[in-house]
Amino acid sequence: MNLNPGRGGPQAPVSSSELDKKVYGQIQGENFGHVLAEPMSGRVTSDAPEDNVSANTFTARFKELTTVGRKSLTSLRGTAGRGTGSTASPDLASASSHGKHVDPETSFRERYLLQLDPSQPLKERMQSLKAASKEVELYSVDTLMAIWAVAEDFTRATASIDVRIVGYDLILASVSHSGLVLDERLKFFNLISIPLPTAHANLQILALERLTRKGEQLSPFESQLPVFLHNLLEYVFEAALQARYHHKRQRSLRSNDPIGEEVSLMNLLVLVERIVKRNPDAFRSDDLATLIDKLHSIFTRTTASDDIHRSLAIFECLITSPSFPFNRLAGCVDVLCVLIGKPNFVSESPVRCLHKMLTGRLRHVTLQILLDILSRPREGSKPNVLIGAFSTLDHVLVMNGADNFPIIPLQSLSIAFRSVWRSSRTSTLDCIRIVGRLLHDDQIKYRLLGEDWTILEATLDEFAKLANESSSVDENVLEFRSVVTSSSPLDRYFSNPWSRLLTDDVEIQNKLRCLPSGFEGLWDDLSREQKFSVINLCFILEPFVDDDLWEPVVQFMADERLLCPPNENWARHLEVLVHLVVLKPSRTESARCRVLQEIKDVHASVNNDQESVSFFDHIALQILDSLAAEPKIQMLSVLTEFTVGYALHASMDVFDNIIEIFCQSIGAKMIPEFSVWTSLPSEAISILTTCLVQLFRQCLPLSAWKTVKIYKVLVSIAASPTIPDKARLTAIKLLSRLRCDPNRAVEVVPVPDSQGLAAILCRTEASAHTQSTYHHTNRVSFNEESQMVRTGRSSAIGSSRSDRSRSATRSASGRERLPRPTPPLWMYGTSKGLPDDPPAAASAVVYVSMDSSVSGHTLDISEWMDTINDILLKGDDWEIYSYLLVHLPSQLSNTVMFDGDAPHMQTLHTLLISQLQTGKVHCPPTVTGMKQGDVALCLLHTLTILVSYRERFTKKQLDDTVRTFLTSMEKWDGARKCCIHALALCSHELPYHLDKFLDGVVQKMSQIITQSHLAIDILEFLGGLVRLPDAYRSTKPMLFRTVFGICKEHLKHSRRERQKHKSMSSSKTSYIPTRYSSTIAEVATSAESSNVNDSQKDLPEYVFALAYHVITFWFLAIEIQERSSHVGWISKNLGYQDDRGNEIMEEQSQVTLDMMHRTAYSDLGETMPSPDFKDQGNKVLSKTWLVGMSIVTVETFKDSGLTQITKRQASGTTYAVFHQQTAPLPPHHVQPRSSFSSYSSVGGIDILPNHILLQLSSTITPMPIPMQPIILPDDESTRRAISMFDHSDTVDGHKAGVIYVSKAQTSEAEILANTTGTALYEDFLSGLGTKVGLQNAKFNTQGLDREANSDGTHTYAWRDRVTEIVFHVTTMMPTDLEHDAQCVNKKRHIGNDFVNIIFNDSGLPFDIDTFKSQFNYVNIIITPDSMAVPRRLGSISDGALSQSSTQQGNDKGKQSDIQPCFKVQTVCSPSFPHISPAATPKMVSASTLPGFVRQLALNASVFSLVWSNREGGEHVSSWRNRLRAIAKLRERYANTGVSANVSYPDMGTAEDRGGARSYLEGDAWNGTLMMGGLAEEKQMHLSLDFTRWT
């Protein structure tokens, strides 16, 4: 009977506080109190700090109280007896205070001997003994023993308990005395051994602890101590059990205070542990045996965890004792296993004890005992003992001999398992777990290779039989057994009556599942026979076989030729694998995939006889039938992929069945009977759709019939709103990538060029990150903040992110409340759009048709167009709608694909026009952060692509197109850049339609000039437009004034920016300038980084140059009779005042004014010198002046007076012939004086050049000195300067490379080796410029050789009155592959060209890194919409454009009348800003292509020149160079003694000059108005003397 049901019960008889007061008083320095206190809180600590028992506290107290000097104290110490516990007494203080020298020990002894005399009353004696006990240890042992002599009766067993307790006060004080000898220690041990009542047993324990110095000193009672401890331990334990029992029964007295008996037991166990630990040799074997028995009794009888923990601590000390009794070992192991197996026992002590036994000298005996527990379980043994034994053996198995653990013989372990594994469910689990350990532990399992597998296989078979107890046989397996012959190595599996069965115990299933996989690591080392054993085991334990083992099993079966002919059972083996692995959803993916792969391999290797075909059709349909029931999404993908591979070569009937199953699963409404909706999850439907996409890709080059059938299903999926978005999106991804070649053969592009549009909708990684960062840092409205955040980063189509509509709403707090965003279904560029890479070439069997009546081999693209229009019209689903918005323009760029579908194109056009003009654009979900303007921007890009379909539309529709671009500039702020670029395209493609709205377009641009990020786009548009007269032929005169006003405002802004940059640069601060233009690529690429910000610092210079260019071009475009009316207005705005109020006229302004001087009243253009004046020697007199900012040379024939006047200005040189018409002399006229003068010696001079200049430029009107011409000396220096001036260009020269890329070419060498191109390329060149010869060319050939034809005989060039561009055409340059295989001579030119035009006929995307050069900033890539168009375009010219728009009537739409189109895109180097309207691809017709590309090249070249000079200064145009040359001459010859406005020719000093002063640039001048002129103040004669400057 267990008498200790647990803790609890009535209040303990003695509390800790009572014990302290009653027993210990005020004793200080003790540490046993923590042993008492800790059990009260449920803890007992055996390794507490051990304080020395001393009187330090009293000594300190004594030193504080006494005032006796050191000498007196020393003398007192000398009088003390032996073994004093201290040096003084508290009574000394009293004696010292009276100045008497009293021996405190004598006083103490005499006083208490008298008070403790037996004759005294007992009560008084008890009080005196309590007082004496507090001080007695301070004095000598003699005094102590004298006190004991009169107080010994207090400790007798016959005394009352109260008296004995008082006596223990003296015992506790005495045993702590440091001066005790052995006899006295033995005496006190005997006193302690006298029994006390159980309630006060703790006094004995405390006294024994002090006597033994906490277990360290056992002398001289070593032999008596074990017996005393055994008895005390039994006595105290029994008392604790009884106390717990009564405490539990008295529930009403339940208290949290510990039971006194429990405290005594805990203290005793702690003391025993210390004694055993510190005196390992003090106990004999029989003493240890008795102690083990006592501990065993505690283990088996107690339920208190504290008892067990403290007893285990003692036992852990005993097992290392050399006297440990062997006859107690089995019992100890049994108890420890029970403790380990207890489910709620949490302690490492039993495990630690057993591990010590297994690694010590008893390890082999202990191991055998553990095995015996399993193999020969004793009668009545507890179940927990098996659990503990299993756990311990598991650990020993893991250690595998390490750390001195023994090695378990595997055969012995298997025998033990077979004896015990069915004894209980727990034993079964433990057996399976340890066998699994054998098979999985890397250090153990290789021992199996050298072991006998007989017992192990028998054990595994026993485990397998467990599955037979609660299951039934799979009917399919029974069928397999009947057809598999005995020759199959799987006969053990097929003949086993209990194979392929399951147990209902899930935990046992989990354990069994781990067994077969343990052979995986051993697989390569197994013998062939062992592998067959494992394979049979896998099939027997099939529900528990892991995928890691199925793969080598299937591979072994394949290597053994079990799965293919000539094995007679190959088909059945495969079918078994299909049913047991593939069709089991519980199987893991890798195992099922491995079987499927084996089926594929076998299918590819067998003959296509009827039997094999039928078998594989059967297998494929079985697998396909399981699709709808497949719960694993990943596995569904694998199964569908397998189906795709099989369907590719399946017969028509099987293919129809496959497509029918797919449609039924997806819910596609291709055919009415396929419209059944299934319960498949959306992810599964998406996978099935992906399978159809893969099947389409694979069928495309092989079977038109299959491809068309799949196409119809995919269109149906894309159009069905009931199908999940992800599945629809998968279909649309393929359909939007469909293209066709010139023969209308269908092809699929891998990546549509849609990155820019994706960036608008934040569907690229860079743009999404930018949007996310913005939302997290500041959630304020996009309307007010996006302009600041994205300044300098908006793009041609991405600018909507920076130009949000200001009408958007905001919350009351000023912050937008946006729902939590959800991950989008698609992102551009983050993953492959298609599951597989599409075929590289177009299909040879599938074509595009617009006629739905054509069946069989063609795709009816109108079905897809219906779906497109429907999605754009409804716009219900944002993921679908946004994807189409982004990718539709790229597909529409393939004009050959849609050119026969005019009705659908017109429907699409009408839809776009309606939504954009009415503002009924679909609103994106709020959570996306997108706005209507973003959607409108995408629609506008689609509309821009439709411009290339102009032949399909009516005049009204084309008018609506231009009108929509115009109104969208007003309606959609963020779309302005896109609209400007679209209008730039319309100026080439639709000039007559643009002309109707041009006034409104320019007026709108004048209203948005404050938006600096549009400056470049507006100015480039105006600069390109002016070169297309058809686009502004009906323009009103006020249009020109508006254009000039736009330029004026941009000049003002540019001047402010330039001044700001200069100030910021001088102050060394970082400044991010305003962004003037950008492109979509910068939103999605690293161009958003600091490189782009740095690049913007030169854009104000480009805006500055562009504004002056536009003024020049448009001034020249004015009718000559109207030009003068604009001069005053333009001139007024050319100058400006600086910060100090000074009037500033920049060089650009000066050359512009100079240009107006030359062209305001003349359109004659360039002039040339008269040949009559060439090489005339002395017949001609010549003189040159600096007249203002021009160089005037007058050449006059001496005899005839025929004069050539050459006026060299910044903007050009004018040659004119002047001939004074001299009348015949009357007869009565005297002979001219010149005939008789001394001049006759020089040949008879009748007229001098000075006369011509004076007649043409002066009267008697006074001329201010600073304005008087400067005569130049006729010396070598002057002639050299004028010669250099004459060689400077009068137009801005530009160059651009033209490179032809032939079919499939990718490398630089093979591209440069091309000498010819296609007819399209040649026609393009002929429209790009004029073919000119290079031999002795008089124009600037931009580096091309003019003498030896080393760069070819001809090239193409183009020039107007302001600009000239020469093209470096690689196909026109000599090619000598024998001596120049890398075409270095060609690379020498194009490698140094800032701009290259790439005519890409390769059929591949062009890589801008093909030509590596640090100077190639811009590549204009031209890609024919259809390669090698079979018809020639004829001559392309600007005039051809005029017919393209007028021949639009009801008879249009025929394919033969439609021009081919080209995709044009500018691609720049990473550090170069994208500023072109073709930064996003534009579709351009053949007739307008040359002019459009030429304008792109000119703009890019101008900016490149500005960009290339950003480090060393600004780019200086040819006109400005000429202006500077003139200014240099003025600076050189002014104030040098040769200039008339400085001095007379023969006067040197100021006095000689009559007081005339010198004038420098910038000086103020004072004068008086008179005679129609201005006279020098106080020096009028200097203003009248014209001989000074003639």
Side-chain angles (χ1 to χ4, degrees), residues 1467-1500:
V1467 180
C1468 305
S1469 62
S1471 62
F1472 193 82
H1474 297 251
I1475 57 173
S1476 169
T1480 56
K1482 295 292 186 292
M1483 295 303 298
V1484 184
S1485 62
S1487 61
T1488 62
L1489 177 67
F1492 184 74
V1493 171
R1494 182 174 59 243
Q1495 185 61 38
L1496 293 178
L1498 283 170
N1499 289 337

Side-chain angles (χ1 to χ4, degrees), residues 1200-1203 1217-1224 1247 1251-1252:
S1200 65
L1202 182 64
T1203 300
V1217 175
F1218 176 83
H1219 194 187
Q1220 180 175 318
Q1221 298 296 323
T1222 304
I1247 188 172
H1251 170 76
I1252 304 300

Side-chain angles (χ1 to χ4, degrees), residues 822-978:
T822 56
L825 290 182
W826 68 274
M827 291 290 289
Y828 185 90
T830 56
S831 61
K832 295 171 58 177
L834 298 177
D836 298 313
D837 292 333
S843 174
V845 295
V846 185
Y847 298 87
V848 168
S849 171
M850 295 297 171
D851 187 357
S852 59
S853 63
V854 179
S855 60
H857 296 73
T858 60
L859 300 184
D860 184 4
I861 205 66
S862 62
E863 296 178 0
W864 170 230
M865 283 299 301
D866 283 333
T867 301
I868 291 174
N869 291 333
D870 185 64
I871 293 174
L872 293 180
L873 176 63
K874 297 177 180 177
D876 297 333
D877 191 287
W878 173 246
E879 292 296 326
I880 303 299
Y881 183 61
S882 63
Y883 189 89
L884 199 60
L885 286 177
V886 169
H887 292 84
L888 179 59
S890 176
Q891 188 173 33
L892 291 175
S893 298
N894 185 209
T895 55
V896 177
M897 186 173 181
F898 299 96
D899 61 5
D901 192 14
H904 284 90
M905 298 304 295
Q906 291 179 351
T907 300
L908 175 61
H909 182 273
T910 302
L911 176 62
L912 297 177
I913 296 295
S914 173
Q915 291 185 356
L916 290 170
Q917 287 192 354
T918 61
K920 296 180 179 179
V921 174
H922 298 295
C923 293
T926 306
V927 70
T928 63
M930 302 293 104
K931 304 294 182 182
Q932 271 187 305
D934 300 319
V935 177
L937 186 55
C938 295
L939 296 177
L940 284 168
H941 275 277
T942 303
L943 184 62
T944 303
I945 295 297
L946 293 185
V947 172
S948 61
Y949 290 82
R950 65 174 188 264
E951 291 90 347
R952 288 84 166 172
F953 303 131
T954 64
K955 291 183 178 180
K956 181 181 182 304
Q957 288 174 323
L958 295 178
D959 287 343
D960 289 340
T961 300
V962 178
R963 182 185 294 108
T964 301
F965 290 135
L966 173 57
T967 57
S968 294
M969 291 175 64
E970 176 69 31
K971 191 178 297 292
W972 311 106
D973 290 350
R976 287 171 177 168
K977 186 183 293 288
C978 172

Side-chain angles (χ1 to χ4, degrees), residues 391-501:
S391 176
T392 305
L393 288 173
D394 190 19
H395 182 76
V396 175
L397 197 64
V398 171
M399 297 306 294
N400 195 30
D403 297 339
N404 211 30
F405 275 89
I407 295 178
I408 305 178
L410 299 182
Q411 296 300 329
S412 300
L413 188 64
S414 298
I415 293 172
F417 285 172
R418 294 191 67 185
S419 301
V420 76
W421 82 282
R422 277 185 176 272
S423 62
S424 67
R425 177 179 178 276
T426 303
S427 298
T428 302
L429 290 172
D430 285 334
C431 287
I432 297 174
R433 175 173 54 83
I434 295 182
V435 171
R437 176 84 69 188
L438 282 172
L439 299 176
H440 287 82
D441 193 287
D442 293 336
Q443 297 180 356
I444 302 173
K445 61 184 180 182
Y446 287 101
R447 292 169 54 195
L448 293 174
L449 298 176
E451 298 279 349
D452 183 4
W453 280 34
T454 304
I455 299 179
L456 180 61
E457 287 185 1
T459 302
L460 295 176
D461 283 348
E462 290 291 333
F463 292 165
K465 289 179 181 180
L466 182 66
N468 187 41
E469 297 176 358
S470 60
S471 305
S472 58
V473 179
D474 192 329
E475 295 180 359
N476 291 321
V477 177
L478 296 178
E479 179 184 353
F480 298 152
R481 293 181 192 151
S482 63
V483 296
V484 175
T485 65
S486 59
S487 63
S488 171
L490 303 181
D491 60 331
R492 178 181 168 197
Y493 159 66
F494 288 110
S495 62
N496 195 326
W498 35 260
S499 62
R500 276 293 294 116
L501 304 174

Side-chain angles (χ1 to χ4, degrees), residues 499-511:
S499 62
R500 276 293 294 116
L501 304 174
L502 299 174
T503 176
D504 293 333
D505 195 314
V506 176
E507 191 170 0
I508 292 180
Q509 284 186 17
N510 294 334
K511 297 295 183 184

Side-chain angles (χ1 to χ4, degrees), residues 65-282:
L65 297 176
T66 183
T67 59
V68 179
R70 182 176 299 276
K71 181 176 180 180
S72 298
L73 184 59
T74 304
S75 64
L76 287 173
R77 289 177 178 171
T79 64
R82 68 177 178 89
T84 57
S86 184
T87 60
S89 169
D91 294 333
L92 183 60
S94 176
S96 299
S97 66
H98 294 85
K100 300 178 180 180
H101 296 283
V102 180
D103 180 2
E105 184 172 354
T106 301
S107 175
F108 172 83
R109 182 169 60 247
E110 291 175 352
R111 182 174 67 252
Y112 283 109
L113 287 177
L114 177 62
Q115 294 177 5
L116 293 174
D117 187 87
S119 62
Q120 297 294 329
L122 180 60
K123 185 174 182 180
E124 293 178 1
R125 291 182 69 201
M126 291 174 64
Q127 292 176 352
S128 297
L129 186 60
K130 289 181 180 180
S133 298
K134 296 178 181 179
E135 301 181 39
V136 68
E137 62 177 324
L138 300 176
Y139 303 107
S140 66
V141 175
D142 292 339
T143 301
L144 174 64
M145 298 312 295
I147 297 297
W148 266 109
V150 296
E152 188 176 359
D153 58 320
F154 279 85
T155 61
R156 292 172 184 167
T158 58
S160 66
I161 185 61
D162 292 335
V163 172
R164 295 188 65 184
I165 289 174
V166 175
Y168 257 92
D169 288 346
L170 184 58
I171 291 176
L172 291 172
S174 301
V175 296
S176 301
H177 203 289
S178 60
L180 298 177
V181 296
L182 294 180
D183 291 341
E184 293 163 350
R185 286 172 55 80
L186 180 59
K187 177 181 178 180
F188 284 119
F189 176 76
N190 291 331
L191 289 175
I192 295 171
S193 300
I194 299 174
L196 275 176
T198 57
H200 305 288
N202 202 42
L203 295 175
Q204 288 179 285
I205 300 168
L206 179 58
L208 183 61
E209 183 195 34
R210 292 188 179 186
L211 181 62
T212 60
R213 298 295 187 266
K214 296 187 178 180
E216 289 185 355
Q217 300 179 11
L218 306 184
S219 177
F221 43 84
E222 300 97 329
S223 58
Q224 300 172 354
L225 182 61
V227 176
F228 173 68
L229 290 177
H230 298 160
N231 295 332
L232 185 61
L233 186 61
E234 181 179 1
Y235 176 66
V236 173
F237 177 62
E238 291 294 339
L241 290 180
Q242 291 293 334
R244 289 168 180 163
Y245 176 73
H246 291 295
H247 191 274
K248 183 176 182 182
R249 296 190 62 178
Q250 299 176 9
R251 299 181 183 274
S252 60
L253 301 178
R254 185 169 297 173
S255 172
N256 293 327
D257 293 333
I259 305 172
E261 288 80 355
E262 281 188 336
V263 174
S264 299
L265 178 60
M266 289 299 102
N267 293 335
L268 179 59
L269 290 174
V270 170
L271 179 59
V272 172
E273 177 192 355
R274 290 174 174 174
I275 292 173
V276 173
K277 180 186 294 185
R278 296 170 181 178
N279 303 274
D281 299 329

Side-chain angles (χ1 to χ4, degrees), residues 694-712:
Q694 291 176 307
L695 192 56
F696 179 93
R697 182 194 67 81
Q698 296 181 18
C699 291
L700 183 61
L702 302 176
S703 171
W705 185 86
K706 292 181 179 180
T707 303
V708 172
K709 194 173 188 67
I710 300 171
Y711 167 77
K712 293 180 178 294

